[in-house]
Structures are given as C-alpha cells and as structure tokens.
C-alpha cells in the first residue's frame, strides 16, 4: 500500500490527512493553527511532527514509509526568505525529501475541484483565488487586508464598521445595521467602538471578520447600508474569476468550472448573489465543491508523487 500525506495549514487550524493510492482516507487529525512565520521554524517543526506522528500512528507507519507528502502553508511564496525556511522544516521531521510545499490555496483548489481544471475562489477571513487550465496556473488576490482581501469576511466586517461610524455621527441615516453592530460589540457608547477595535482588539483580523455575518444578516433583510456592502463583496469575488480566466487564457468559447469556498460562501444569501453575478462571466460555470482543503492537501501529495 502506498501512503500520501497532506497538511492544510490554515489560519485557524492545521489539518493532516493520510490517503492511499486509491484516494481512500486512512487517517486524519486536526491541530491548532501553526505560528508559521511568527515564532520561527522550531515551532513549525513541532506542529508538523505532532500531526505526522498522529496520522501515521493510526496505520502503524513511519515517516520513511511515505511515498510523498504535501505541506500547505499560509503565506508560502509571499516572502522568499521565510518560505525557504518553511520548506526545510518537513525534512527535519520526515528525514527525506519526498515532499513539496506550497501555499495553502493549493489545498483549497485541489479539494474543491478534485484536482481538475478550474478556479477556486476562497473568501474566508481573507480572499484569494487559484486556478489551473490546460497546463497553465494563476493566483489572483491574497494581498492582505492592507492591499486587498476584497470580498473577504474581514473586508465585509471593516466596511460594516465604517458604515456604523457614519451612522453613529449622522453622516447617513441609521438603519438596522447600526443597532446590530452595536449589540454584537456590546459597547456602552458609540465611541467605545474605537477603543474596542483599535486598542483592545488591536485591529485583529479575525475579530473584525466575525462581524461579516452581522452585515450579511442585515443585507438579507434588505438593509440599505448592508446590502451594497455584500453586493460589492460578491462583485469583487467575480472580478477574481474574470482576472483568473484572463490569466489562464480561457478563450471566448471556453468555459472553466468555478468553485467558491470559505466562510463567506456559507451564507445562502451570498451564495445566491454569487451564482447570479457569476453568470455575467460567460467563461465561468459555477460548480459545487467536491472536498475540503484537508483532503485537497492529500491530493496534492498524490499529484506531487507522479510529478517526481
């Protein structure tokens, strides 16, 4: 039996999956998110070692028994020096070089599209798209909250906070979004939001992103401030697809499958708007996701073995 191990190192958890050559899942485990860049490679190595030991232990295997492995890291490829350090960490655990590393967007793409041609748009805390088509590949977005992440939960949450601020001091009429944000934050006065978000939260991305469901819920009810935010978010995500189709050279007669993954798409309201808006891009065809990123990471390992 051949063994292929995948790791999806997301922002909130780290998932390990072990499959065989027939793509049957043999073992899996989840661990807390790795520090990746923040705490150095020693902490990364420890997290990888614990996950590898857990899944291989379930089948009585050792690292040397692996045919190939794939390690998906958030931020891989976005800082050359740090990415090189990350790529060394698995060797110190496995003791061999039958593995490769990449950005965790690859795990999401491989899982959602079952490793076939297509574009996967991720709209979670941040946003990014990755696609492959006829031997070409592309990455769109993923520029961080300072330079991008349009359409993400953070982007929606931050837009919601800006709308709250305008409504709080009278620059626009107050809608249901005003009270929903205030209730969610649990503040005594409107100005307390500044201290909460900027001082106590220190602008934390995840906490701001957690406001996205509040904005989406208001948009579902037709709130005049929330609805444009969600509609703009969907349009931004469709732009990821259009840019991807251009980069992949999908011609006028070509059609490429498109999936959407991440927490933003968990809303039926967003998903409906997404399908409607995506119809305007004639080169794209929406399709439901096949698997999660955890299984996708294992598929990347399987594909990596055939490429060696």
């Amino acid at each position: 039996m051949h063994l292929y191990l995948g790791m999806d190192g997301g922002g909130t958890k780290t998932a390990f999956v072990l499959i065989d050559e027939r793509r049957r899942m043999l073992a899996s485990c989840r661990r807390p998110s790795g520090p990746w860049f923040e705490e150095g490679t020693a902490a990364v190595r420890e997290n990888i070692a614990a996950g590898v030991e857990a899944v291989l232990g379930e089948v009585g295997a050792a690292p040397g028994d692996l045919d190939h492995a794939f390690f998906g890291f958030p931020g891989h490829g976005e800082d050359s020096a740090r990415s090189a350090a990350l790529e060394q960490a698995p060797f110190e655990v496995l003791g061999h070089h039958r593995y490769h590393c990449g950005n965790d967007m690859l795990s999401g793409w491989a899982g959602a599209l079952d490793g076939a041609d297509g574009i996967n748009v991720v709209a979670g805390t941040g946003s990014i798209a990755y696609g492959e088509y006829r031997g070409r590949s592309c990455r769109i977005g993923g520029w961080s909250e300072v330079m991008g992440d349009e359409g993400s939960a953070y982007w929606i949450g931050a837009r919601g906070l800006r709308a709250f601020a305008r409504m709080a001091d009278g620059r626009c009429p107050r809608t249901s979004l005003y009270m929903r944000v205030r209730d969610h934050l649990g503040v005594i006065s409107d100005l307390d939001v500044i201290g909460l978000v900027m001082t106590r939260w220190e602008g934390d991305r995840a906490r701001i992103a957690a406001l996205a469901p509040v904005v989406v819920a208001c948009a579902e009810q037709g709130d005049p401030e929330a609805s444009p935010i969600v509609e703009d978010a969907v349009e931004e995500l469709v732009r990821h697809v259009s840019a991807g189709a251009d980069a992949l050279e999908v011609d006028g007669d070509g059609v490429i499958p498109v999936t959407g993954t991440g927490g933003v798409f968990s809303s039926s309201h967003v998903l409906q708007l997404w399908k409607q808006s995506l119809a305007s891009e004639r080169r794209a065809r929406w399709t439901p996701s096949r698997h999660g990123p955890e299984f996708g990471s294992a598929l990347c390992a399987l594909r990596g073995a055939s490429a060696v």
Side-chain angles (χ1 to χ4, degrees), residues 223-256:
D223 184 284
E225 285 294 320
S227 293
I229 295 174
V230 176
E231 291 165 4
D232 288 349
V234 169
E235 288 300 321
E236 290 289 353
L237 297 173
V238 172
R239 289 191 182 97
H240 282 63
V241 175
S242 297
D246 289 342
L248 294 171
E249 300 177 24
V250 180
D251 59 33
D253 297 323
V255 178
I256 188 167

Side-chain angles (χ1 to χ4, degrees), residues 37 41 73-90 101 103:
F37 293 128
T41 54
F73 295 109
H76 184 278
E78 297 166 8
D79 184 319
S80 298
R82 287 180 168 181
S83 294
L86 284 179
E87 291 174 1
Q88 177 63 19
C101 301
N103 192 284

Side-chain angles (χ1 to χ4, degrees), residues 175-187:
T175 68
S176 62
L177 179 63
Y178 168 79
M179 284 307 302
R180 290 288 295 271
V181 170
R182 185 182 167 112
D183 289 345
H184 177 85
L185 298 178
V187 294

Side-chain angles (χ1 to χ4, degrees), residues 6-7 10 15 23 31 40 50 81 84 126 136 164 166 233 246 260 290 304:
M7 183 197 83
R23 308 193 343 161
R31 292 184 47 75
R136 295 181 287 273
F164 171 86
R166 292 195 304 272
D246 289 342
R290 296 286 300 278

Side-chain angles (χ1 to χ4, degrees), residues 138-187:
C138 73
R139 164 185 166 150
I140 306 295
W143 287 94
S144 82
E145 69 273 20
V146 175
M147 295 177 279
D149 277 351
E150 297 90 347
S152 68
Y154 174 89
W155 190 86
I156 294 171
R159 289 274 304 267
L161 286 172
R162 294 188 190 106
F164 171 86
R166 292 195 304 272
M167 289 186 282
D169 60 20
R171 282 177 284 160
C172 66
R174 291 180 179 178
T175 68
S176 62
L177 179 63
Y178 168 79
M179 284 307 302
R180 290 288 295 271
V181 170
R182 185 182 167 112
D183 289 345
H184 177 85
L185 298 178
V187 294

Side-chain angles (χ1 to χ4, degrees), residues 95-118:
H96 59 74
H97 287 100
R98 295 191 301 278
Y99 70 88
H100 68 290
C101 301
N103 192 284
D104 62 335
M105 67 182 180
L106 296 171
S107 301
W109 165 83
L113 288 150
D114 204 34
D117 278 359

